[in-house]
Amino acid sequence: MAPPAARKRNPRGQGAQLRDEIVTAARELLIETGSDSAVTLRAIARKVGIAPPSIYAHFDTPDQIVEAVVTETRSLLVRQLETARAGAESARERLLADCRAYLVFGAEQPELYALLFSRPRPRGSSTTEERVDRAVRQLAPIVGESIAAQLAPAEAFSILLRDVADAMQDGSSRAKDALTTATSLWAALHGLILLRARIPRFPWPPPGPLEEEIITRLAFPHGPASS
């Protein structure tokens, strides 16, 4: 096999571009192999077209590179949820949009989705202090400040929790407890994503009806509170 073509050196001041290329290469390796053990300095260097020592200007270990992919993936999931719910006109529609977008992300990015839950999360790894503080302020009226502080870094779940609480407040959901309902939804959506990915030969119902049944039963038990 021919060696990779030498990569053209970035102009001065564009080292961030190389960092992005390293993270992109790691993400591609993770998608191709489904394993973070495939992310080695040698494999990444080969993909990018650089010498392995060049990576040390940005990352000390392959583990740090994988964590950068995890951080990027979490941000991508949050953006997908926020985009999906942006056009919704009611709390019910926002909550439905959250759940559907979460399922779509898991189905379209199965390897990256699995990576989110396969590694311990280093303290302060993917959210700034300002974002965490803002999330705590938003969640505290729902679950209390101490619980909000624990939930805030899980941004995708925080969005789900806020929208469950909003649906309860405007009467579109008769759920009794926002945290319990959001956790039940999250567990059900997560389980469905993993089961579909790992048991593809099971006679799954077509996408749509099963998901709607799960979401409706958990998020909107007994129908709307006001009729």
Side-chain angles (χ1 to χ4, degrees), residues 77 98-107 109-119 156-157 160 181-199 204 211 214-215 218:
L77 172 57
D98 290 345
C99 295
R100 292 166 181 156
Y102 194 92
L103 288 169
V104 168
F105 183 88
Q109 306 283 353
E111 296 87 3
L112 294 178
Y113 178 84
L115 181 68
L116 291 178
F117 300 93
S118 66
R119 298 169 59 81
F157 180 77
L160 183 65
T181 300
T183 303
S184 299
L185 271 171
W186 186 32
L189 299 176
H190 178 69
L192 183 58
I193 290 170
L194 294 186
L195 285 170
R196 281 191 181 277
R198 295 180 182 180
I199 315 177
W204 295 103
E211 287 85 344
I214 291 173
I215 295 168
L218 291 174

Coordinates of all heavy atoms in Angstrom, one line a residue, residues 77 98-107 109-119 156-157 160 181-199 204 211 214-215 218:
L77 N -26.0 16.7 18.9 CA -27.3 16.3 19.3 C -28.1 17.4 19.9 O -29.3 17.5 19.5 CB -27.1 15.2 20.4 CG -28.3 14.7 21.1 CD1 -29.4 14.2 20.1 CD2 -28.0 13.6 22.1
D98 N -38.7 17.1 20.3 CA -37.5 16.7 21.0 C -37.3 15.2 20.8 O -36.3 14.7 20.4 CB -37.7 16.9 22.5 CG -37.6 18.4 22.9 OD1 -37.2 19.2 22.0 OD2 -38.0 18.7 24.0
C99 N -38.4 14.4 21.1 CA -38.3 13.0 21.1 C -38.0 12.4 19.7 O -37.2 11.5 19.5 CB -39.6 12.4 21.6 SG -40.0 12.8 23.4
R100 N -38.7 13.0 18.7 CA -38.5 12.5 17.3 C -37.1 12.8 16.9 O -36.4 12.0 16.2 CB -39.5 13.2 16.4 CG -41.0 12.7 16.6 CD -41.9 13.6 15.9 NE -43.3 13.3 16.2 CZ -44.4 14.1 16.1 NH1 -44.1 15.4 15.8 NH2 -45.6 13.7 16.3
A101 N -36.6 14.0 17.2 CA -35.2 14.4 16.8 C -34.2 13.5 17.5 O -33.2 13.1 16.9 CB -35.0 15.8 17.1
Y102 N -34.4 13.1 18.7 CA -33.5 12.3 19.5 C -33.5 10.9 18.8 O -32.4 10.3 18.6 CB -34.0 12.1 20.9 CG -33.0 11.5 21.8 CD1 -32.2 12.3 22.6 CD2 -32.9 10.1 22.0 CE1 -31.2 11.8 23.5 CE2 -32.0 9.6 22.9 CZ -31.2 10.4 23.6 OH -30.3 9.8 24.5
L103 N -34.6 10.4 18.4 CA -34.7 9.1 17.7 C -34.0 9.1 16.3 O -33.2 8.2 16.0 CB -36.1 8.6 17.5 CG -36.8 8.2 18.8 CD1 -38.3 8.0 18.6 CD2 -36.2 6.9 19.3
V104 N -34.2 10.2 15.6 CA -33.5 10.4 14.3 C -32.0 10.4 14.4 O -31.3 9.8 13.7 CB -34.1 11.6 13.6 CG1 -33.2 12.0 12.4 CG2 -35.5 11.4 13.2
F105 N -31.6 11.2 15.4 CA -30.1 11.3 15.6 C -29.5 9.9 15.9 O -28.5 9.5 15.3 CB -29.8 12.2 16.8 CG -28.3 12.4 17.0 CD1 -27.6 13.4 16.4 CD2 -27.6 11.6 17.9 CE1 -26.3 13.6 16.6 CE2 -26.3 11.8 18.1 CZ -25.6 12.8 17.4
G106 N -30.2 9.1 16.8 CA -29.7 7.8 17.1 C -29.7 6.9 16.0 O -28.8 6.0 15.8
A107 N -30.7 7.0 15.1 CA -30.8 6.1 13.9 C -29.8 6.5 12.9 O -29.2 5.6 12.2 CB -32.2 6.2 13.4
Q109 N -26.9 8.2 13.4 CA -25.5 8.2 13.9 C -25.3 7.1 14.9 O -24.9 7.4 16.1 CB -25.2 9.6 14.5 CG -25.4 10.8 13.6 CD -24.3 10.9 12.5 OE1 -23.3 10.2 12.6 NE2 -24.5 11.9 11.6
P110 N -25.5 5.9 14.6 CA -25.5 4.9 15.7 C -24.2 4.7 16.4 O -24.2 4.5 17.6 CB -26.0 3.6 14.9 CG -25.6 3.9 13.5 CD -25.8 5.3 13.3
E111 N -23.1 4.8 15.6 CA -21.8 4.6 16.3 C -21.5 5.7 17.2 O -21.0 5.5 18.3 CB -20.7 4.4 15.2 CG -20.8 3.2 14.3 CD -21.7 3.5 13.1 OE1 -22.2 4.6 13.0 OE2 -22.0 2.5 12.4
L112 N -21.7 6.9 16.8 CA -21.5 8.1 17.6 C -22.4 8.2 18.8 O -22.0 8.5 19.9 CB -21.6 9.4 16.8 CG -20.5 9.5 15.7 CD1 -20.7 10.8 14.9 CD2 -19.1 9.5 16.2
Y113 N -23.7 7.8 18.5 CA -24.6 7.8 19.6 C -24.2 6.8 20.7 O -24.2 7.1 21.9 CB -26.0 7.4 19.1 CG -27.1 7.4 20.3 CD1 -27.7 8.5 20.7 CD2 -27.3 6.1 20.9 CE1 -28.6 8.5 21.7 CE2 -28.3 6.1 21.9 CZ -28.9 7.2 22.3 OH -29.8 7.2 23.4
A114 N -23.8 5.6 20.3 CA -23.3 4.6 21.3 C -22.1 5.1 22.1 O -21.9 4.9 23.2 CB -23.0 3.3 20.6
L115 N -21.2 5.9 21.4 CA -20.0 6.4 22.0 C -20.4 7.3 23.2 O -19.7 7.4 24.2 CB -19.2 7.1 21.0 CG -17.9 7.7 21.5 CD1 -16.9 6.6 21.8 CD2 -17.3 8.6 20.4
L116 N -21.5 8.1 23.0 CA -21.9 9.0 24.1 C -22.1 8.3 25.4 O -21.9 8.9 26.5 CB -23.2 9.7 23.7 CG -23.1 10.7 22.6 CD1 -24.5 11.3 22.3 CD2 -22.1 11.8 22.8
F117 N -22.5 7.0 25.4 CA -22.8 6.3 26.6 C -21.8 5.2 27.0 O -22.0 4.4 27.9 CB -24.2 5.7 26.5 CG -25.2 6.8 26.3 CD1 -25.6 7.1 25.0 CD2 -25.8 7.5 27.3 CE1 -26.6 8.1 24.8 CE2 -26.8 8.4 27.1 CZ -27.2 8.8 25.9
S118 N -20.7 5.1 26.2 CA -19.8 4.1 26.5 C -18.5 4.5 27.2 O -17.7 3.7 27.6 CB -19.3 3.5 25.1 OG -18.6 4.4 24.4
R119 N -18.4 5.8 27.5 CA -17.3 6.3 28.2 C -17.7 7.2 29.4 O -18.6 7.9 29.3 CB -16.4 7.2 27.2 CG -15.9 6.5 26.0 CD -15.3 7.4 25.0 NE -14.3 8.2 25.5 CZ -13.0 7.8 25.6 NH1 -12.7 6.6 25.2 NH2 -12.1 8.6 26.1
A156 N -28.9 17.6 26.5 CA -30.1 17.0 25.7 C -31.2 16.6 26.7 O -32.4 16.9 26.4 CB -29.6 15.8 24.9
F157 N -30.8 16.0 27.8 CA -31.9 15.6 28.8 C -32.5 16.9 29.4 O -33.7 16.9 29.7 CB -31.3 14.7 29.9 CG -32.3 14.3 30.9 CD1 -33.2 13.3 30.6 CD2 -32.3 15.0 32.1 CE1 -34.2 13.0 31.6 CE2 -33.3 14.6 33.1 CZ -34.2 13.6 32.8
L160 N -35.2 18.1 27.2 CA -36.4 17.2 27.4 C -37.1 17.5 28.6 O -38.4 17.6 28.7 CB -35.9 15.7 27.3 CG -37.0 14.6 27.4 CD1 -37.8 14.7 26.1 CD2 -36.3 13.3 27.5
T181 N -41.2 11.6 34.5 CA -41.6 11.5 33.1 C -40.5 11.6 32.1 O -40.4 10.9 31.1 CB -42.8 12.5 32.8 OG1 -43.8 12.3 33.7 CG2 -43.3 12.4 31.4
A182 N -39.7 12.7 32.2 CA -38.6 12.9 31.3 C -37.6 11.7 31.4 O -37.1 11.3 30.3 CB -37.9 14.2 31.7
T183 N -37.3 11.2 32.5 CA -36.4 10.0 32.7 C -37.0 8.8 32.0 O -36.3 8.1 31.3 CB -36.2 9.7 34.2 OG1 -35.6 10.9 34.8 CG2 -35.2 8.6 34.3
S184 N -38.3 8.6 32.1 CA -39.0 7.5 31.5 C -38.9 7.6 30.0 O -38.6 6.6 29.3 CB -40.4 7.4 31.9 OG -40.5 7.2 33.3
L185 N -39.1 8.8 29.5 CA -39.0 9.0 28.0 C -37.6 8.8 27.5 O -37.4 8.1 26.5 CB -39.4 10.5 27.7 CG -40.9 10.8 27.4 CD1 -41.1 12.3 27.4 CD2 -41.3 10.1 26.1
W186 N -36.6 9.3 28.2 CA -35.2 9.2 27.8 C -34.8 7.7 27.8 O -34.2 7.2 26.9 CB -34.4 10.0 28.8 CG -32.9 10.0 28.5 CD1 -32.4 10.0 27.2 CD2 -31.8 10.1 29.4 NE1 -31.0 10.1 27.3 CE2 -30.6 10.1 28.6 CE3 -31.7 10.1 30.8 CZ2 -29.4 10.2 29.2 CZ3 -30.5 10.2 31.4 CH2 -29.3 10.2 30.6
A187 N -35.2 7.0 28.9 CA -34.9 5.5 28.9 C -35.5 4.8 27.8 O -34.9 3.9 27.2 CB -35.3 5.0 30.3
A188 N -36.8 5.1 27.5 CA -37.5 4.4 26.4 C -36.9 4.7 25.0 O -36.7 3.8 24.2 CB -39.0 4.8 26.4
L189 N -36.6 6.0 24.8 CA -36.0 6.4 23.5 C -34.6 5.7 23.3 O -34.3 5.2 22.3 CB -35.9 7.9 23.4 CG -37.2 8.6 23.5 CD1 -37.0 10.1 23.4 CD2 -38.2 8.2 22.3
H190 N -33.8 5.8 24.4 CA -32.5 5.2 24.4 C -32.6 3.7 24.1 O -31.8 3.2 23.3 CB -31.8 5.5 25.7 CG -30.4 4.9 25.9 ND1 -29.4 5.4 25.1 CD2 -30.0 3.9 26.6 CE1 -28.3 4.7 25.4 NE2 -28.6 3.8 26.4
G191 N -33.4 3.0 24.8 CA -33.6 1.6 24.6 C -34.0 1.2 23.2 O -33.5 0.3 22.6
L192 N -34.9 2.0 22.7 CA -35.4 1.7 21.3 C -34.2 1.9 20.3 O -34.1 1.1 19.4 CB -36.6 2.6 21.0 CG -37.2 2.4 19.6 CD1 -37.7 1.0 19.4 CD2 -38.4 3.4 19.4
I193 N -33.5 3.0 20.5 CA -32.3 3.2 19.5 C -31.4 2.1 19.6 O -30.9 1.6 18.5 CB -31.6 4.6 19.9 CG1 -32.5 5.8 19.6 CG2 -30.3 4.7 19.2 CD1 -32.0 7.1 20.1
L194 N -31.0 1.7 20.8 CA -30.0 0.6 20.9 C -30.5 -0.7 20.4 O -29.8 -1.5 19.8 CB -29.5 0.5 22.4 CG -28.7 1.7 22.9 CD1 -28.2 1.4 24.3 CD2 -27.6 2.1 22.0
L195 N -31.7 -1.1 20.7 CA -32.3 -2.3 20.3 C -32.4 -2.4 18.8 O -32.1 -3.4 18.2 CB -33.7 -2.5 20.9 CG -33.7 -2.9 22.4 CD1 -35.1 -2.8 23.0 CD2 -33.1 -4.3 22.6
R196 N -32.9 -1.3 18.2 CA -33.0 -1.3 16.7 C -31.6 -1.5 16.1 O -31.4 -2.2 15.1 CB -33.6 0.0 16.2 CG -35.1 0.0 16.3 CD -35.6 1.2 15.6 NE -37.0 1.4 15.6 CZ -37.9 0.8 14.9 NH1 -37.5 -0.1 14.0 NH2 -39.2 1.0 15.0
A197 N -30.6 -0.9 16.7 CA -29.2 -1.0 16.1 C -28.6 -2.4 16.3 O -27.9 -2.9 15.4 CB -28.3 0.1 16.7
R198 N -28.9 -3.0 17.5 CA -28.2 -4.2 17.8 C -28.9 -5.5 17.4 O -28.4 -6.6 17.4 CB -27.9 -4.2 19.3 CG -26.9 -3.1 19.7 CD -26.6 -3.1 21.2 NE -25.7 -2.0 21.5 CZ -25.3 -1.7 22.7 NH1 -25.7 -2.4 23.7 NH2 -24.5 -0.7 22.9
I199 N -30.3 -5.3 17.2 CA -31.0 -6.5 16.8 C -31.8 -6.2 15.5 O -33.0 -6.1 15.5 CB -32.0 -7.0 17.9 CG1 -31.3 -7.0 19.2 CG2 -32.6 -8.4 17.6 CD1 -32.2 -7.3 20.4
W204 N -39.2 -5.4 13.5 CA -39.6 -4.1 14.1 C -40.7 -3.6 13.3 O -40.7 -3.6 12.0 CB -38.4 -3.1 14.1 CG -37.3 -3.5 15.0 CD1 -36.1 -4.1 14.6 CD2 -37.3 -3.4 16.4 NE1 -35.3 -4.3 15.7 CE2 -36.0 -3.9 16.8 CE3 -38.2 -2.9 17.3 CZ2 -35.6 -3.9 18.1 CZ3 -37.8 -2.9 18.7 CH2 -36.5 -3.4 19.0
E211 N -42.8 4.5 17.6 CA -42.3 5.7 18.4 C -43.4 6.6 18.9 O -43.3 7.0 20.0 CB -41.3 6.5 17.4 CG -40.0 5.8 17.1 CD -40.1 4.8 16.0 OE1 -41.2 4.4 15.6 OE2 -39.0 4.4 15.4
I214 N -45.0 5.1 22.0 CA -44.1 5.2 23.2 C -44.2 6.6 23.7 O -44.4 6.9 24.9 CB -42.7 4.8 22.9 CG1 -42.6 3.3 22.6 CG2 -41.7 5.2 24.0 CD1 -41.3 2.8 22.1
I215 N -43.9 7.6 22.9 CA -43.9 9.0 23.3 C -45.2 9.4 23.9 O -45.3 10.0 24.9 CB -43.5 9.9 22.1 CG1 -42.1 9.5 21.6 CG2 -43.6 11.4 22.5 CD1 -41.7 10.2 20.3
L218 N -46.1 7.9 27.4 CA -45.2 8.3 28.5 C -45.4 9.8 28.7 O -45.4 10.3 29.9 CB -43.8 8.0 28.2 CG -43.4 6.5 28.2 CD1 -42.0 6.3 27.8 CD2 -43.6 5.9 29.6

